[in-house]
């Protein structure tokens, strides 16, 4: 992001901050000085209700007058004020969402967008659930998913970076759409206050919690909320909470199964199970030929994707590749990170899928910052 020294000086003159603070807030605001000042006062307290014209307005020259005469009146000017970010927002009622699979889309507004800082990094509409927290739990139960709740307070800088860096990530959206009902609440909204009353330990901001359809808070992501940490915690949670596939039995089969269980007798094979073919063993990946690790793209190169590897010992390794690099080349890089060579494969987390050596990052539709699991092949 390029901006002039004039922008820095303008910000410093208005806020009284140092040059590093000015640079940080102007970069976060894409070079817009007005938004930068609003964001500064939102995170440091006070009101920054000014427009570009008010910030850049030069003081009018003092009119000439005789000291023995009455001083001329000061010139008039007009300035536009934004509503203060610290005022209580008005919560808008939302419609109740029916129990079906179409629970995403353009959401009803949760609060008035009265400040530029709230609209700076909006969450993608196809990620947000259209309904209340109670509706989200009901839909999660219906769809066999968990509810992921994000409590935001936009007077804190970390809440803006969460919207910008995490929820906008393709990798996060892929995992969320498959496994969670995502709902975002404002801390000082009516529904946000109700959630905090039920879960008083949700004190960090931003707060990210995973709630079961029964209402139990089963996981909390606290501390630093970087993209890598959120992906890591979510994938670890899903590793431990795989959904169970339940076979649907008829009423007679359920009654018979209950009788057999009470008699401690082995359950006979059902007609449905008898007609199902035996599961086929998963295909083993072909051995990878010796290949040198590809050179890492430069910072200005195009068609580049960042891949995060979960290594055999659980550590994370992050590296940039061209989208035309193959899985074979990714494996060659991974091999350089191991103390001794061994036969490996790379798989996606959700859905679980072993990548083939000839696949490229582009053909496998790997998202930027996607987490891949490195596994040893016996």
């Amino acid at each position: 992001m390029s901006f002039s020294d004039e922008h820095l000086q303008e910000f410093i003159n208005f806020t009284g901050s140092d040059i590093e603070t000015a640079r940080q807030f102007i970069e976060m605001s894409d070079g817009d000085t007005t938004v930068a000042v609003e964001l500064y006062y939102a995170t440091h307290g006070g009101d920054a209700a000014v427009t570009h014209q008010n910030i850049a307005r030069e003081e009018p020259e003092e009119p000439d007058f005789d000291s023995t005469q009455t001083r001329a009146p000061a010139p008039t000017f007009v300035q536009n004020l934004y509503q203060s970010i610290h005022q209580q927002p008005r919560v808008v009622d939302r419609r109740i969402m029916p129990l079906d699979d179409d629970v995403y889309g353009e959401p009803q507004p949760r609060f008035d967008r009265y400040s530029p800082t709230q609209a700076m990094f909006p969450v993608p509409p196809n990620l947000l659930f259209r309904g209340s927290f109670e509706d989200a739990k009901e839909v999660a139960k219906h769809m066999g998913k968990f509810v992921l709740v994000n409590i935001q307070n936009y007077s804190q800088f970390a809440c803006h970076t969460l919207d910008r860096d995490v929820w906008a990530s393709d990798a996060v959206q892929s995992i969320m759409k498959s496994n969670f009902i995502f709902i975002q609440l404002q801390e000082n909204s009516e529904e946000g206050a109700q959630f905090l009353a039920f879960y008083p330990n949700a004190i960090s901001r931003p707060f990210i919690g995973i709630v079961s359809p029964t209402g139990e808070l089963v996981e909390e992501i606290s501390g630093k909320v970087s993209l890598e940490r959120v992906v890591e915690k979510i994938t670890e949670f899903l590793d431990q909470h795989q959904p169970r596939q339940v076979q649907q039995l008829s009423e007679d089969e359920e009654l018979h199964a209950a009788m057999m269980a009470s008699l401690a007798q082995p359950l006979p094979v059902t007609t449905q199970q008898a007609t199902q073919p035996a599961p086929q063993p998963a295909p083993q990946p072909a051995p990878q030929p010796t290949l040198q690790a590809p050179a890492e793209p430069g910072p200005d190169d195009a068609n580049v994707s960042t891949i995060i590897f979960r290594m055999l010992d659980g550590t994370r390794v992050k590296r940039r590749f061209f989208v035309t690099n193959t899985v074979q080349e990714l494996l060659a890089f991974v091999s350089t990170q191991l103390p001794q060579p061994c036969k490996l494969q790379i798989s996606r987390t959700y859905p679980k899928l072993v990548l083939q050596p000839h696949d490229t990052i582009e053909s496998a539709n790997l998202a930027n910052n996607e987490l891949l699991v490195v596994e040893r092949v016996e």
Side-chain angles (χ1 to χ4, degrees):
M1 171 58 59
S2 60
F3 48 85
S4 64
D5 293 339
E6 181 180 352
H7 289 92
L8 291 173
Q9 192 59 48
E10 193 173 65
F11 183 93
I12 293 171
N13 290 342
F14 194 80
T15 63
S17 63
D18 56 66
I19 190 169
E20 288 303 322
T21 301
R23 189 183 307 277
Q24 176 189 13
F25 279 90
I26 293 178
E27 285 179 349
M28 283 293 299
S29 306
D30 293 334
D32 191 321
T33 309
T34 296
V35 175
V37 172
E38 285 283 344
L39 183 57
Y40 175 85
Y41 280 103
T43 55
H44 290 74
D47 291 323
V50 294
T51 60
H52 280 293
Q53 293 82 1
N54 186 34
I55 296 177
R57 179 180 58 83
E58 297 181 357
E59 292 295 331
E61 296 182 358
E62 191 73 18
D64 296 331
F65 64 92
D66 189 342
S67 59
T68 62
Q69 300 176 355
T70 303
R71 179 174 177 174
T76 59
F77 62 90
V78 177
Q79 66 184 78
N80 296 326
L81 303 180
Y82 291 127
Q83 182 178 355
S84 171
I85 193 170
H86 299 290
Q87 294 183 15
Q88 180 74 14
R90 177 175 59 87
V91 179
V92 183
D93 291 334
R94 291 161 291 149
R95 62 182 177 217
I96 300 299
M97 189 64 199
L99 292 179
D100 56 31
D101 291 344
D102 185 18
V103 295
Y104 304 100
E106 192 67 37
Q108 295 292 316
R110 292 187 174 278
F111 40 81
D112 286 341
R113 297 195 177 278
Y114 50 82
S115 167
T117 57
Q118 283 190 242
M120 191 177 298
F121 310 112
V123 177
N126 64 344
L127 189 63
L128 283 171
F129 173 71
R130 303 197 309 261
S132 67
F133 176 58
E134 293 300 322
D135 298 334
K137 291 191 296 182
E138 197 67 29
V139 173
K141 180 179 179 181
H142 175 71
M143 300 177 66
K145 297 183 178 182
F146 291 92
V147 181
L148 193 145
V149 183
N150 172 212
I151 304 295
Q152 293 283 65
N153 182 341
Y154 282 110
S155 66
Q156 301 195 21
F157 196 75
C159 294
H160 295 285
T161 58
L162 177 67
D163 285 347
R164 182 193 65 180
D165 299 336
V166 177
W167 304 138
S169 166
D170 293 338
V172 170
Q173 292 183 40
S174 176
I175 297 175
M176 298 277 284
K177 289 283 287 183
S178 301
N179 301 278
F180 297 99
I181 302 297
F182 178 53
I183 185 168
Q184 189 179 68
L185 303 174
Q186 182 74 328
E187 178 184 29
N188 57 354
S189 68
E190 180 180 354
E191 192 172 5
Q194 291 175 354
F195 180 90
L196 296 175
F198 281 110
Y199 304 95
N201 293 330
I203 57 177
S204 61
R205 296 293 175 273
F207 170 81
I208 303 174
I210 299 176
V211 180
S212 70
T214 60
E216 178 187 3
L217 181 61
V218 293
E219 185 71 28
E220 177 182 348
I221 303 176
S222 57
K224 185 178 181 181
V225 288
S226 63
L227 173 60
E228 291 81 4
R229 176 171 172 76
V230 171
V231 171
E232 176 183 354
K233 296 294 289 185
I234 289 178
T235 52
E236 286 180 354
F237 172 82
L238 292 174
D239 284 341
Q240 301 171 7
H241 298 80
Q242 290 285 354
R244 297 179 179 178
Q245 300 296 331
V246 181
Q247 182 182 4
Q248 298 296 325
L249 302 178
S250 65
E251 292 184 4
D252 292 338
E253 289 174 331
E254 289 180 351
L255 179 60
H256 187 59
M259 294 174 60
M260 289 294 160
S262 64
L263 297 173
Q265 296 181 6
L267 183 65
V269 178
T270 64
T271 304
Q272 181 181 1
Q273 291 173 327
T275 58
Q276 290 179 348
Q280 298 295 323
Q284 295 295 328
Q288 297 90 28
T290 303
L291 190 68
Q292 290 186 345
E296 185 170 9
D300 299 326
D301 290 333
N303 299 321
V304 172
S305 182
T306 299
I307 301 296
I308 305 171
F309 299 96
R310 183 196 292 173
M311 306 299 287
L312 298 176
D313 59 358
T315 59
R316 264 54 170 178
V317 176
K318 185 177 180 180
R319 213 262 205 179
R320 301 168 74 243
F321 296 90
F322 288 106
V323 296
T324 53
N325 285 136
T326 64
V327 173
Q328 273 187 332
E329 293 173 312
L330 270 61
L331 285 167
F333 164 75
V334 170
S335 298
T336 64
Q337 308 298 308
L338 300 178
Q340 57 183 8
C342 61
K343 192 175 180 181
L344 302 170
Q345 68 182 18
I346 298 177
S347 62
R348 304 182 73 163
T349 51
Y350 300 98
K352 180 73 173 181
L353 177 66
V354 176
L355 301 178
Q356 298 304 310
H358 62 273
D359 290 339
T360 65
I361 293 177
E362 186 175 28
S363 66
N365 295 320
L366 298 180
N368 189 38
N369 283 301
E370 180 150 352
L371 178 69
L372 299 181
V373 180
V374 179
E375 299 170 318
R376 189 192 306 271
V377 179
E378 300 298 339

